[in-house]
Amino acid sequence: MSPRLADALRVSPQQIDPLSWITRPWVALSFASLTLVYGLVATLVTWNGSPAPWFDLAAAVVMTGACVYVQIATRPLRPTFGPRRAAIPVLLGVAGLGLSTLANIGSEVGVHNWWAPVGLGLLIATCGPYSTLPQITSYGFVLAVATGFAAWAAFVGRDDPWTGLATILIACSSVVVATVATGVFSFGVAIRTQALLGRVGIPVAEDDALREAAARRAELTTLARLGSRVAPFLASVADAGEVTAEDRALAGQLARRLRSDLVSQANRSWLDSLAVDGRIYVVDPDNRADSMNAAQRAALRGLLLAVMDDPATDNGSLFIELRGQPDGSTAVAMSIDIDLPEGRRVMMIAPYYLALKTTVKEISWDPVRDLLRFRVPPGKRW
């Protein structure tokens, strides 16, 4: 198996491309509403054919609650929606299936009109944007097996025209189809976005050249500024032909000022240099920005410059903080307070977000607070 395929199996659509999910808060709720409406309508239509239709109503509510739980568990800044968190909605789905099975034992409803497997299929689709292909397959397998046993208990042995195996296959078909469709969707999004990520970013060699050129320009600017202070004083001393007490005092003041400027320049990180015009507020007491490599700097610098160049950005509206962690990594939080509609703001951030995602860890974007977070792994300081 190629590395790209292996990587695509380990990430969900939401993990690899979260910024594209502009309607993400409504995905799970939409499926929850569809599950509730479908369950209620199907129960009312078959009400007279079931000896205990109230169990089907309870099943609709439980399966709807499973979808709502997925919505809550996948909100911004929540931990990854992995198998441990998915176990709750899967168990709720099985519980709803059990209630619907009780409603259909001894009923006149045919297995082809049984709504519960369709509800489980909607639950699998709800988990799809936040789950990897292996995870979706495992959820589908568990729910399909449970559906098979439920169909055997409620429908096999009737005077239906189907055999017992056919009855179980009919019941499980909705779950299987939903699993296959959701898995194809998840894997397709992951592998296509990986291909896009592979083409994003500035080559390291090119960024090294840009960084060196910027450093040389900064040095020349500093030397010119220092020279503009010292040159007139030296010229005046040369013209006078002697050094007075006032000249010595002024020379001491200039020396202390030059030393302070040189120390400040030496201690200033590349990120501090971007903040000299006051449009970015940087909190980096340990100069952790210098621990970022060329690719990380290129992506972050591009994002900062893009935001600063936008007319909707006010002075001081960008805040970025870097803090060292016990394991040697650097936690970065960036607040982007910019007066743009959500769609335009996402489109502006997305290319740099994708570039950062290839070089940093645990990156996340909170659209409610306009907060970008990621962690720079420990490594060589530049």
Coordinates of all heavy atoms in Angstrom, one line a residue, residues 23 45 67 153 215 220 236 273 303 325:
T23 N -20.8 24.4 6.5 CA -22.1 24.1 7.1 C -22.0 23.0 8.2 O -22.9 22.3 8.5 CB -23.1 23.6 6.0 OG1 -22.5 22.4 5.4 CG2 -23.4 24.6 5.0
V45 N -47.7 5.6 9.7 CA -48.2 4.9 8.6 C -48.5 3.5 8.9 O -49.5 2.9 8.5 CB -47.3 5.0 7.4 CG1 -47.7 4.0 6.3 CG2 -47.2 6.4 6.8
C67 N -27.8 11.0 16.8 CA -27.3 12.0 15.8 C -27.0 13.3 16.5 O -26.0 14.0 16.1 CB -28.4 12.2 14.7 SG -28.7 10.7 13.7
A153 N -35.2 -12.0 14.9 CA -36.2 -12.1 16.0 C -37.6 -11.6 15.6 O -38.6 -12.1 16.2 CB -35.6 -11.3 17.2
A215 N 16.7 39.1 5.9 CA 17.7 39.3 6.9 C 18.7 40.4 6.5 O 19.1 41.2 7.3 CB 18.4 38.0 7.4
L220 N 21.0 45.9 6.7 CA 21.3 47.2 6.1 C 20.5 48.3 6.6 O 21.0 49.4 6.8 CB 21.1 47.0 4.5 CG 22.1 46.1 3.8 CD1 21.7 45.9 2.4 CD2 23.5 46.6 3.9
S236 N 31.1 66.5 13.2 CA 31.3 67.7 14.0 C 32.6 67.7 14.8 O 33.3 68.7 14.9 CB 30.1 67.9 14.9 OG 30.0 66.9 15.8
S273 N 9.7 41.1 13.9 CA 10.0 42.1 12.9 C 8.8 42.4 12.1 O 8.6 43.5 11.5 CB 11.1 41.5 12.0 OG 12.3 41.2 12.7
L303 N 0.1 33.9 5.9 CA -1.2 34.2 6.5 C -1.2 35.5 7.1 O -2.2 36.3 7.0 CB -1.5 33.1 7.5 CG -2.8 33.3 8.4 CD1 -4.0 33.4 7.5 CD2 -3.0 32.2 9.4
Q325 N 6.2 24.3 25.7 CA 5.5 23.2 26.4 C 6.6 22.3 27.0 O 7.7 22.3 26.6 CB 4.7 22.4 25.4 CG 3.6 23.2 24.6 CD 2.6 23.9 25.6 OE1 1.9 23.2 26.3 NE2 2.6 25.2 25.6

